[in-house]
Amino acid sequence: PAPQAPGRIILYDRPGVAQSFILAGTPLPLTGRDDILALGLANDVFGGGATSRLWRSLREERGWSYGASSSASPTAREMPFILTAPVDARQTGPAIAEIRRLLAEFRTSNPPQAAEVDRARAASIRSLPGEFETGGALLGALERAVVLKRPDDYLATLPARLEAVPLETVRKAPMPG
């Protein structure tokens, strides 16, 4: 991967708006062709859904947002990590500081815990059937399999492979921070 430029914040000032939209992103050192299961579980713990740390902190604990999330999309090249958080405009600065704190702690003093990873793992496995409810969804999965050069049994073996991802591997996943 190319060397990372220092992080920066770009602010578009829109006086009088009630809500800010925080959008953050960075390339990750993995591609969708790598084994990304640990990264997926780590992201689920951090910001992948309504039980994630990001959601709980910004929405439930502080009431600054109706929802915040992060994702790591499998691509043929460097995967993008994307974080979105629409927040109360008065809380934009504190929300950015909280996101940075959560990311830093995730990589250092507060890594994913076994219960969090188990919950993320179970949710991922249970959601698999719903990911193929439409013809378009199935076609998208087949297209990703071809583009990412996944083996023919990738989806059939996914639940067992998710179950086998060790906690320490999830803790070492290349999340930003």
Side-chain angles (χ1 to χ4, degrees):
Q4 294 290 322
R8 63 188 177 133
I9 295 175
I10 300 171
L11 175 67
Y12 294 100
D13 189 15
R14 298 188 63 206
V17 299
Q19 192 175 67
S20 295
F21 187 76
I22 298 169
L23 173 64
T26 190
L28 296 172
L30 293 175
T31 74
R33 293 178 177 155
D34 295 315
D35 182 352
I36 58 171
L37 297 182
L39 173 63
L41 292 171
N43 180 69
D44 286 351
V45 170
F46 176 77
T51 62
S52 71
R53 293 179 182 185
L54 181 65
W55 179 285
R56 282 193 326 263
S57 179
L58 295 184
R59 178 182 166 95
E60 294 176 9
E61 294 169 10
R62 289 170 179 76
W64 296 344
S65 177
Y66 286 115
S69 65
S70 65
S71 64
S73 300
T75 57
R77 294 192 176 206
E78 290 176 325
M79 292 174 53
F81 174 84
I82 304 291
L83 182 147
T84 59
V87 299
D88 180 327
R90 298 167 298 185
Q91 301 302 331
T92 304
I96 291 171
E98 176 63 5
I99 291 166
R100 289 179 143 192
R101 182 190 70 80
L102 288 169
L103 280 167
E105 287 182 359
F106 194 83
R107 300 286 292 148
T108 58
S109 62
N110 190 11
Q113 301 301 303
E116 293 175 304
V117 173
D118 288 345
R119 189 172 40 250
R121 186 187 328 268
S124 291
I125 292 169
R126 282 193 311 265
S127 71
L128 286 172
E131 291 182 21
F132 308 104
E133 289 182 344
T134 67
L138 181 57
L139 183 59
L142 294 171
E143 180 182 45
R144 271 188 308 282
V146 170
V147 169
L148 300 176
K149 299 182 179 169
R150 292 178 171 165
D152 291 342
D153 67 349
Y154 181 84
L155 294 173
T157 62
L158 190 52
R161 288 184 295 113
L162 279 166
E163 286 287 352
V165 177
L167 175 61
E168 283 307 312
T169 305
V170 175
R171 288 180 171 169
K172 293 177 184 173
M175 291 286 289

